[in-house]
Amino acid sequence: MASGSYWGSFAPRERRNIIIYIIGIMFYKLGLESFNGGIVSLAADRFTAANAFGKIGALTGLNQAMQVIGSILIAPLVKKFPTRSVLATAIFVFGSITILFLIIDAATGGKPRIANGGQLQYGTWNPNALFPLYMISGISYGMVELIRRIIPRDIVGGDVQKLRKMDAIVHILYEVAGTGGALLSVKMIKIFGNNFSFLITPPLFVCAGLTWICIDKLGHGEESEKEEGEEDERSFGSVDYMYSVTIGAKAFARSTYKGAIICFAHRKFIWLLPGYSFALYGHRYLENAISPAIAKRIMLDSSYSQIMVCGSNLGELFGALFVLITTTAIQTPLPFLRFDALALLIVWALPAYSHHIQPHNAVYAWRIAAMFMPISMGWAAGDVSLAAFIQASLARMESSDSQVSALGSVMAFLYSSYIIIYAILGSLLGTYIDKVFTADGNIYRALVNIGGVQFTVLCAIIIAATLTPRGALHWNPSLINEDAKPADVELQRGGEDAQTQHSNHLRHPHQRHPHDGTGGGGHSVHSETSTESVVDNKEKPIRTTDIGAMLG
């Protein structure tokens, strides 16, 4: 697509807001990669060898669980205040929390490597303090991530084509910033040490927040802004914030339960658990567990894990581009998921190659980064296409619960399943790595099992899952819905507006739809005989408490 035709589809005000938003999100991603890379490297060095990776697995799992809490806490504020203000405030809070790590280390005697003759000097604080600090940062992280999924709808409105174009360019540049952030993290660790490597994070987060504040007042037209103000007053006039948070937490728990029922009760949805949650677990385990273990125990330099993450981020970029290029040729997520599953087998090369690695030599880290690229490319392609498929298949399914949608329920269940899987296996397998290292003095045997064997099992499960839907035996099926009707084809093509409607309902949760006449709660249904009725023209409204739909 020519750049002229791309930008020509946006109004001047929208172009300005998109550019500002992208600049801010690149600042954010650069700071985020520096922070996460520094914390994981710091944890690998500070925790004792006997339990280092068991604790790192638990630390990462808890941080991800706290992201859900942060999403629930921030959702009521999105209804009351302008999106840009909530986003900027959330990133400022996140930056303030990252400063706590630096203050604690400096106050207890820690020094930057550059100020200590090139030697690492940590503070005397107990490294177990990483748990509460990283959990708190996870709450702020979850707040920012939720709003980041809402704001595109406020920038370009409800035009599906505009949203797709904006999402595409944002995703690509986000991964570009992620790749650069991983490289920046390596350099910062070399200069300042992993205890001060993320001192660049607070300034970058401040730059992101100040940039986002410059976005024009969001909303389309004076009438919508007036309705927004009236809605805020109605929503918060008699209901306090804590009550709204409680309602959100209950709705999330309820939607997770209902999502499990939907997935396990239908053949055309049961494969989503391995296709989404298991695949996401494998990708995160590769970045957050295997790469730090190789860097610390084989290369003897924990900062090299960020070089491997750099290759993974670059692979995600290629995966997103691949989906954009093949949108018309590949109409279902199954080919991407199968490629993802087969690419996992590349991990078998790590145990054999690790015998040839020379410590403190970055060349070997770059070679492993090259191995990670096709693996992450397959995951990113599968994730992007699967997310679109889930939205198209579930956005219009009628739910028996007025507080949660079918789409939000399934996404809540899938994401919660991923968190549970990672929290359990991340800690257990990390403990196994520690035991092997204590017994053998190396982790070669552990790499065979946590890498080759585990990822082969994941490959087999994901491949088997892609054979479950009806019509899925072809390598590149054109339709995999259980009921192969023209209406289903239309659903797949038109369902991309789900994300648009998610954001719309977070900003206007009680807005009346022209086709329902119920203030967003009721719909006319084509058939009452089906267990999942299809709604005419509009999908089930996504409530502000419908956090699962946004986390996906």
Side-chain angles (χ1 to χ4, degrees), residues 460-525:
I461 293 174
I462 295 173
I463 288 289
T466 64
L467 301 176
T468 304
R470 294 187 186 277
L473 296 181
H474 298 286
W475 174 254
N476 183 21
S478 59
L479 184 67
I480 58 174
N481 280 347
E482 185 173 354
D483 301 318
K485 302 175 183 177
D488 294 304
V489 179
E490 171 112 6
L491 183 60
Q492 285 188 343
R493 293 176 179 172
E496 293 92 344
D497 61 340
Q499 185 175 356
T500 301
Q501 296 296 329
H502 301 170
S503 303
N504 186 38
H505 282 284
L506 280 169
R507 299 298 297 149
H508 310 288
H510 303 291
Q511 179 177 332
R512 294 176 63 89
H513 288 274
H515 294 284
D516 59 30
T518 59
H523 296 79
S524 60
V525 182

Side-chain angles (χ1 to χ4, degrees), residues 123-151:
T124 56
W125 54 279
N126 190 327
N128 288 322
L130 283 172
F131 282 95
L133 291 173
Y134 204 44
M135 288 171 65
I136 295 173
S137 70
I139 294 175
S140 298
Y141 186 12
M143 292 179 174
V144 175
E145 287 297 302
L146 177 69
I147 307 171
R148 191 170 67 81
R149 287 163 169 79
I150 299 171
I151 202 169

